[in-house]
Amino acid sequence: MPTHATTTPRPLRLPALAGWLVLTFLFAAIGAFASSQAAGFYQQLNRPEWAPPPWLFGPAWTVLYLLMAVAAWRVQRAAPPTGARPELTLYVVQLVANALWTWLFFGWHLGAVAFVEILVLWLLIAATTRAFWRRDRWAGLILVPYIAWVSFATCLCYSIWQRNPGLL
């Protein structure tokens, strides 16, 4: 007789993973649409020397959105049916805020509003990370690169906004 408790492995629920990937990348596409002309605008901005090159944003965000979708899937998978509704609703709200920031900054060139909104986004990500952590620790950990990147982006947003009063 084994001395450790055995657990039944949870089903993978791959259709659910596909759903989270589609939903997450739908919001990514909404944001990407706002930044379709961002490369030219970004080049004309007075940026700090520590600002990343424009080509880095696409790959970085692709990885982050992939991680975000996997985290949401893990939370759904870890919960009984409808059991993770508050956590996943918070996740969708932060997706909306994420897409909105791109429109505020790159689409509408509203630097002050974009900065305030990215602070709200950071708080939403922190709350989502905490909620995910409580449901599934790996899901919470998976969001750490996302909040780290948005922390960096918050500093960058503030710096660029301050350096470009005529454009933002």
Side-chain angles (χ1 to χ4, degrees):
M1 180 169 217
T3 58
H4 64 286
T6 59
T7 59
T8 305
R10 288 180 246 171
L12 285 177
R13 297 183 187 152
L14 294 179
L17 174 59
W20 286 112
L21 286 166
V22 168
L23 180 69
T24 301
F25 279 97
L26 174 66
F27 280 97
I30 291 168
F33 186 74
S35 64
S36 60
Q37 304 299 317
F41 176 66
Y42 188 71
Q43 288 293 353
Q44 76 183 70
L45 292 171
N46 178 353
R47 301 178 314 273
E49 52 283 346
W50 46 270
W55 63 264
L56 182 62
F57 290 98
W61 277 109
T62 300
V63 169
L64 292 172
Y65 279 117
L66 178 63
L67 291 173
M68 291 159 55
V70 169
W73 171 68
R74 286 189 61 91
V75 165
Q76 180 185 15
R77 196 171 149 233
T82 71
R85 188 167 287 160
E87 295 94 333
L88 296 173
T89 299
L90 186 57
Y91 175 77
V92 172
V93 169
Q94 69 80 30
L95 282 176
V96 170
N98 188 313
L100 176 61
W101 182 88
T102 309
W103 280 94
L104 291 170
F105 191 86
F106 288 112
W108 302 320
H109 304 174
L110 299 172
V113 178
F115 178 67
V116 170
E117 199 274 348
I118 203 170
L119 294 173
V120 171
L121 173 61
W122 191 95
L123 292 171
L124 287 168
I125 297 166
T128 303
T129 302
R130 183 176 181 193
F132 277 24
W133 173 269
R134 288 179 175 174
R135 180 71 64 180
D136 177 283
R137 293 195 189 228
W138 280 107
L141 286 172
I142 289 170
L143 291 182
V144 170
Y146 177 36
I147 198 164
W149 180 264
V150 172
S151 298
F152 172 76
T154 301
C155 297
L156 184 61
C157 176
Y158 180 80
S159 179
I160 292 175
W161 165 48
Q162 294 300 301
R163 291 166 172 257
N164 295 277
L167 295 173
L168 291 169

